Amino acid sequence: MSKLGTAFSEGIIAFIATNIDDIFILLIFFSQIDVNFRRRHILLGQYLGFAVIIIASLPGFFGGLVVPREWIGLLGLLPIAIGIQQLVSRKEETTTVQTVSSDFGQFTPTNSVLSFILSVLHPQTYKVAAVTIANGGDNIGIYIPLFAGQDLTSLGVILSIFFIMVGVWCAIAYFLSRQPTIADILSRYGQAAVPFVLIGLGLFIMYERGTFTLLPWVRS
């Protein structure tokens, strides 16, 4: 197999192996779509969060230092904070969404560039990006050595595969969320379960990365 063919295969395998669990998170996000939380927020948030993960992994290509696994686990605080915030302000959020919904009905940007910019700057986009970064934080430990063994062309192939696969992953999750059985379950229980899923995800990320060993009473 040629070097580019190898890079192509490595890119697909590495992405699938490190993002299987992301499908479930995307399913939950797509189940919450309404006038204030659009598909484009999920797609842009995924790409934004994944871009941050890639940037954090590039030191492997340049021969930089590897981020300790325990410190990467601190990213788990992001979904925990978002989950707690949703639990605390659930009633207030419902009122706000209804108000914002009516505002959005009155203003819909007709310029595609302006619409894109507003979507990128939307708080929901950054919420998705934060969860993506936290859930994919451990990917850095895999991508750093993967990037370290590549030349510039092979790295370009791998990164191209990664960003194409992000779109494919979103499409798969959206398709699954539209299936009657899955959609019915998500519509009934998804909204109520989201904060607990995010908090559980954050705790799992910290536990799996060994972050709790940083606590002085655990270390001793």
Side-chain angles (χ1 to χ4, degrees):
M1 185 181 292
S2 67
K3 192 167 187 178
L4 292 182
T6 301
F8 181 86
S9 301
E10 287 179 343
I12 293 179
I13 293 171
F15 184 90
I16 294 175
T18 54
N19 291 279
I20 286 291
D21 56 339
D22 208 34
I23 288 286
F24 178 69
I25 304 300
L26 284 170
L27 277 171
I28 292 180
F29 279 142
F30 280 119
S31 72
Q32 300 179 75
I33 290 176
D34 56 25
V35 293
N36 194 41
F37 187 37
R38 306 294 184 89
R39 286 174 293 181
R40 60 176 176 267
H41 297 144
I42 300 173
L43 185 63
L44 290 172
Q46 274 289 110
Y47 271 106
L48 182 61
F50 195 76
V52 171
I53 293 172
I54 293 298
I55 292 171
S57 304
L58 284 178
F61 177 71
F62 297 109
L65 298 175
V66 177
V67 179
R69 183 179 175 84
E70 293 83 2
W71 290 100
I72 291 176
L74 290 175
L75 290 169
L77 293 174
L78 289 172
I80 291 176
I82 293 173
I84 293 175
Q85 184 270 335
Q86 289 187 2
L87 279 176
V88 171
S89 60
R90 178 171 288 173
K91 291 184 179 180
E92 179 183 340
E93 222 173 62
T94 302
T95 305
T96 303
V97 166
Q98 291 173 350
T99 304
V100 174
S101 297
S102 61
D103 292 342
F104 271 173
Q106 298 171 2
F107 175 67
T108 303
T110 56
N111 186 296
S112 58
V113 176
L114 177 60
S115 178
F116 175 78
I117 293 174
L118 291 176
S119 295
V120 171
L121 298 177
H122 200 285
Q124 297 284 17
T125 299
Y126 291 105
K127 182 182 291 188
V128 174
V131 174
T132 301
I133 293 169
N135 190 42
D138 199 41
N139 297 12
I140 297 172
I142 296 174
Y143 295 163
I144 284 179
L146 175 65
F147 293 168
Q150 311 296 332
D151 57 27
L152 191 58
T153 304
S154 297
L155 178 66
V157 171
I158 291 175
L159 293 184
S160 298
I161 293 299
F162 277 6
F163 283 103
I164 291 172
M165 290 297 293
V166 170
V168 172
W169 238 229
C170 288
I172 292 173
Y174 179 72
F175 174 76
L176 290 175
S177 70
R178 298 299 96 185
Q179 300 307 301
T181 303
I182 298 176
D184 182 61
I185 294 174
L186 290 175
S187 63
R188 289 189 182 189
Y189 309 109
Q191 191 72 27
V194 167
F196 300 101
V197 170
L198 293 176
I199 293 171
L201 172 65
L203 292 172
F204 176 76
I205 288 171
M206 297 177 71
Y207 171 77
E208 201 272 335
R209 275 70 164 180
T211 304
F212 293 119
T213 61
L214 296 173
L215 299 173
W217 56 86
V218 175
R219 191 183 306 176
S220 57

